[in-house]
Amino acid sequence: MRITKTSPVTRENNSMDLPINEDQLLQFENGALVQDAFPNLSRDQREFLISGCTQQCWDLLFTEEA
């Protein structure tokens, strides 16, 4: 299923194809914990569903300047 979220960091729309179904998404939207609704997803995929942040967003937020 293709999910599109707006990044709170860049304000850009990001899409991700995730191996989830509508039932799982409905459980999550109705309050199930992300790890319970989507046990097959990676940490980064679950974070995207929660916040809309991708790994690139986190890299922008937490880059170390030399």
Side-chain angles (χ1 to χ4, degrees):
M1 176 180 284
R2 189 162 187 84
I3 304 293
T4 301
K5 296 270 201 173
T6 302
S7 166
V9 177
T10 64
R11 302 286 184 222
E12 294 178 0
N13 287 332
N14 295 310
S15 295
M16 193 177 285
D17 288 315
L18 299 172
I20 63 173
N21 60 47
E22 289 187 32
D23 184 51
Q24 289 174 298
L25 189 57
L26 186 60
Q27 288 176 35
F28 177 62
E29 289 173 346
N30 286 327
L33 297 174
V34 71
Q35 65 269 26
D36 293 338
F38 310 106
N40 58 314
L41 297 184
S42 70
R43 182 185 69 191
D44 289 342
Q45 291 170 320
R46 291 192 293 241
E47 183 60 41
F48 177 74
L49 285 169
I50 294 168
S51 68
C53 284
T54 62
Q55 185 59 52
Q56 292 79 13
C57 295
W58 293 114
D59 292 344
L60 283 172
L61 284 172
F62 297 105
T63 57
E64 293 184 32
E65 293 184 22

